[in-house]
Amino acid sequence: MTDRIETQAVQTDFQEDPQVIADRLDAARQDLLELSTRNRLLSTPRHRKRAKALEVVDERSDEMYRLLVEGKASLTFLKAADKSPEEIGQDESPEGKSAAEPHVEAGSAGELFEKEALEQPEDDGTQDVRADESGITPKRHLDLKLQTTLNSADLQKRLLRTYYDARSSELEQGVNTLYLALGFLKWYEDDTREKARYAPLVLVPVTLQRKNARTQFSIAWNEDEISTNLSLQAKLKADFGIELPDLVVESVDSEAPSASADTDGVVGEVRAFRPSDYFAQLRDLLRHVDGWEVCADDAVLSFFSFSKFLMYRDLDPAMWGGAQTLGKQPLLGALMGKQGFKPAAPVLEPGAMLDSVVGPREMVHVTLADTSQASAVEAVRRGQNVVIQGPPGTGKSQTITNLIAAAVKDGKKVLFVAEKMAALEVVQRRLSNVGLGDMCLELHSHKAKKKSVLDHLERTLALGAVTGTPTKGYFEKLTAARDAMSAHVTALHGPVGDTGVTPYVAVGELVRLRADGVAPTDFTLDDPLNWDLETAAAARATLDETLARATEMGSPAQHPWRGASAAGMTPMDLERLTGRLPDAAAALRTAATATADLGNAIEDDHRATAGAAVVWASRARRLAQAPALDTAAIAHGVWAEQATVLSALVEQVQYLGQARKQLQGQVVDAAWGADLSQTRLDLAAYGRSWFRWFNGAYRRAKGRLQAVLSGPAPSD
């Protein structure tokens, strides 16, 4: 694991067989194509307890399309109990029971609401009804309420689950996958007709919303593109050779053969799209297919995703001028070919500094970037194809932000895509924070609507010209500041003289020693800044040898020869010392015995050593100089019980002794027993007054003071 991003630059300046590329691309496309019945676009689950789709019954596709798309109205849902047999002709659910009991799967968004029965909020009483000039269409098809087969509690649960699932999908993927499917094709996989499949035909992207928990859910067209079933188109073409027509929703000519399918049209005029026209066209196309049926007024609110199929269609070689043309693309050839990518020259060679490659004028960074991130930006600016990888927190989003900013500065266009919308939002937010939000066009989530895109384009085009372009002097100052900081880095990581040690390493070693609890030394080395590697190695060897000997001999403070200063010893010195050693040994034994006796006498249980002998001798001298004291008094327990009081008494005695010494010859001996407190108060009270001599108290105090003095009183 590393705390930096890693950039692998590659080049694509070699050729690969276009047919090999085309074959591999086709294999990859087939993996994206899901044409089995597991695809909800080919087989929508309906009339099942576990179905997540919400069935809309007894409504007309043309009217729902008019209300949602042309009228841009919001449609609510009716529970089954809100309908009478007279309104719908026949109840789909006998005895008022739901035909499709909802089931909340474990971990789904609606699991929260499974334990309680949440009733559908009551209608607010508004009667929004679309006028019908012909008077033919029943009223229930013209209001803003879609009829369902669910009771109140089941309908509310399913709408809640759908609401949270739709919101989660848009937050994670940035695209809407909730559609109101109008019309279904009932088809079979083979001639056995064992199981009918239902595939939606017209898909209207909608938003499920509500004002608050007290109001009903409603759906509204989110103004995204209305489309037909692309997966069904591919399935019918691949397996049955049937070309399902595209959906043209802008306008159609009513003189077309299918115009008779819509009773609202007048021959010869150009009018809006009607789903019934499209369904009539499909019936004519499938009239020879036995058993298949176009269910024109079936409607379902459910989730449908085209993402993989759109990728499949975008990679169709026919859209790029044929397989040979697409196979000659260098980047695609490197991705899909046998040779793969070849490594490209790195921006920075090992040990090189980025400042020597990229100058301040070329370094376009709008967010902080370290050397690895700046190298990745520079590699892209040089036109290299790179792969950037790194663990979380290494600044990949920052690097992408700087990449986009650099491309904008160079006048280039950038398409930034991501699997999760959160990644897009992080980068877009960073760009907005540095003032580049107007350069970004958001093409995801609800901000991808046509009106939002046009408004954003208009706002960006209306911006004024860029002001405050840095001058040449600005970059000169920036270069000088960069060089000063680079010099600091060079000094910090450059060896000191011939030592081979950098200040960075030295400081790091001192920090490590301090963390290990090693106390600072009180010695200095002999000109260490001029040491070379050999001198430093010799000093380390000497230190290692000293430590080894100290470990073997023990603490130097306890060594018998501690304090000896003789540099060497001759044979004559040895003979002279040898003769004196017996007397010295005897004297040491006598001293050791006397020291032990002294320790026992003063009741000190420490081991008899030379150091202890010094301490014990000092105590013995103080005891010898002490005055004669009562043995019983010295042994009294008051010394331990009243230690604080006795200590204060000793301090007062010491203070009194100092006072006696200071006033020696100035006062008579009787003064030390006299009470002069009132005298002091009177002198302090009246001594500064001009009329003090007229005050009897002052004169009496003056007289008492003079009585205890051995000389004249002070003038003040």
Side-chain angles (χ1 to χ4, degrees), residues 191-484:
D191 295 336
T192 60
R193 302 183 189 177
E194 293 181 357
K195 184 176 182 180
R197 306 290 182 180
Y198 292 87
L201 295 175
V202 178
L203 295 166
V204 180
V206 295
T207 301
L208 182 64
Q209 56 193 359
R210 64 176 177 178
K211 295 180 180 179
N212 53 61
R214 298 180 180 270
T215 59
Q216 293 184 353
F217 280 104
S218 64
I219 58 171
W221 177 43
N222 65 7
E223 300 185 14
D224 282 348
E225 181 181 1
I226 300 170
S227 64
T228 189
N229 192 335
L230 301 179
S231 296
L232 182 61
Q233 277 185 327
K235 179 69 173 180
L236 295 182
K237 182 178 180 180
D239 294 354
F240 303 98
I242 300 175
E243 294 280 352
L244 189 67
D246 291 329
L247 202 63
V248 181
V249 298
E250 286 79 5
S251 64
V252 296
D253 191 346
S254 59
E255 293 182 352
S258 61
S260 60
D262 195 317
T263 58
D264 294 338
V266 178
V267 176
E269 70 175 358
V270 176
R271 56 182 175 73
F273 167 80
R274 293 288 179 267
S276 57
D277 297 341
Y278 184 69
F279 300 150
Q281 187 179 1
L282 294 183
R283 289 192 185 97
D284 183 66
L285 179 66
L286 302 173
R287 64 183 182 275
H288 300 300
V289 182
D290 189 21
W292 289 22
E293 178 185 354
V294 175
C295 306
D297 291 327
D298 282 13
V300 170
L301 178 69
S302 186
F303 295 95
F304 302 97
S305 178
F306 297 92
S307 57
K308 289 186 178 181
F309 183 81
L310 292 176
M311 294 172 62
Y312 170 83
R313 191 174 64 175
D314 289 342
L315 292 174
D316 187 354
M319 302 183 64
W320 300 85
Q324 294 294 322
T325 303
L326 189 60
K328 293 180 180 179
Q329 295 291 329
L331 184 60
L332 188 59
L335 284 170
M336 309 295 295
K338 297 180 179 179
Q339 300 183 34
F341 290 95
K342 291 184 178 180
V347 174
L348 285 181
E349 298 293 339
M353 295 187 64
L354 183 66
D355 295 340
S356 62
V357 178
V358 185
R361 184 182 290 272
E362 293 78 24
M363 192 175 293
V364 184
H365 295 159
V366 295
T367 62
L368 297 176
D370 59 19
T371 302
S372 64
Q373 298 165 358
S375 300
V377 174
E378 184 61 22
V380 175
R381 296 188 71 187
R382 293 185 180 186
Q384 296 179 349
N385 300 305
V386 302
V387 176
I388 299 176
Q389 61 180 0
T394 53
K396 296 185 292 298
S397 296
Q398 290 178 224
T399 304
I400 295 173
T401 304
N402 287 326
L403 281 171
I404 296 176
V408 171
K409 190 261 182 185
D410 295 338
K412 298 180 180 179
K413 300 177 182 178
V414 180
L415 175 62
F416 177 44
V417 297
E419 183 178 1
K420 298 291 185 180
M421 194 173 72
L424 298 176
E425 290 180 339
V426 168
V427 174
Q428 196 276 336
R429 184 168 57 250
R430 289 180 181 272
L431 291 170
S432 297
N433 292 339
V434 297
L436 295 178
D438 291 326
M439 303 301 294
C440 304
L441 180 61
E442 297 183 69
L443 297 175
H444 61 86
S445 185
H446 58 280
K447 300 178 182 178
K449 296 179 181 178
K450 292 181 180 179
K451 187 178 184 304
S452 299
V453 172
L454 292 176
D455 291 343
H456 197 166
L457 290 174
E458 181 181 7
R459 184 171 63 254
T460 301
L461 292 174
L463 294 175
V466 178
T467 59
T469 303
T471 61
K472 180 180 178 181
Y474 170 82
F475 286 107
E476 290 177 350
K477 292 181 180 179
L478 189 60
T479 302
R482 182 205 65 180
D483 293 342

Side-chain angles (χ1 to χ4, degrees), residues 452-664:
S452 299
V453 172
L454 292 176
D455 291 343
H456 197 166
L457 290 174
E458 181 181 7
R459 184 171 63 254
T460 301
L461 292 174
L463 294 175
V466 178
T467 59
T469 303
T471 61
K472 180 180 178 181
Y474 170 82
F475 286 107
E476 290 177 350
K477 292 181 180 179
L478 189 60
T479 302
R482 182 205 65 180
D483 293 342
M485 291 187 291
S486 298
H488 175 76
V489 174
T490 301
L492 188 62
H493 295 280
V496 178
D498 297 330
T499 61
V501 179
T502 66
Y504 179 82
V505 173
V507 172
E509 184 65 15
L510 292 176
V511 171
R512 185 190 65 79
L513 292 174
R514 182 178 182 182
D516 292 342
V518 179
T521 60
D522 56 355
F523 62 86
T524 57
L525 300 176
D526 185 13
D527 196 15
L529 297 182
N530 291 325
W531 285 8
D532 54 16
L533 295 178
E534 289 75 11
T535 305
R540 290 192 181 92
T542 302
L543 181 60
D544 292 340
E545 182 181 0
T546 303
L547 292 175
R549 292 182 180 276
T551 302
E552 181 181 354
M553 295 184 301
S555 175
Q558 304 296 331
H559 198 271
W561 290 102
R562 175 177 172 79
S565 59
M569 183 175 294
T570 64
M572 291 181 294
D573 294 333
L574 183 59
E575 291 178 2
R576 185 174 64 256
L577 290 175
T578 302
R580 300 173 59 183
L581 283 178
D583 296 337
L588 285 175
R589 286 192 293 271
T590 302
T593 302
T595 300
D597 294 341
L598 180 59
N600 293 330
I602 63 176
E603 298 183 357
D604 195 322
D605 57 355
H606 286 81
R607 188 168 61 90
T609 61
V614 174
V615 175
W616 293 346
S618 175
R619 293 179 183 175
R621 283 191 293 270
R622 292 173 62 185
L623 289 174
Q625 295 172 0
L629 299 173
D630 185 4
T631 304
I634 294 177
H636 198 278
V638 72
W639 300 104
E641 298 170 359
Q642 302 290 334
T644 303
V645 177
L646 292 175
S647 297
L649 178 61
V650 170
E651 292 178 359
Q652 292 296 327
V653 171
Q654 292 176 344
Y655 177 74
L656 179 61
Q658 294 175 359
R660 281 180 175 274
K661 185 176 181 181
Q662 182 179 359
L663 297 177
Q664 184 73 28

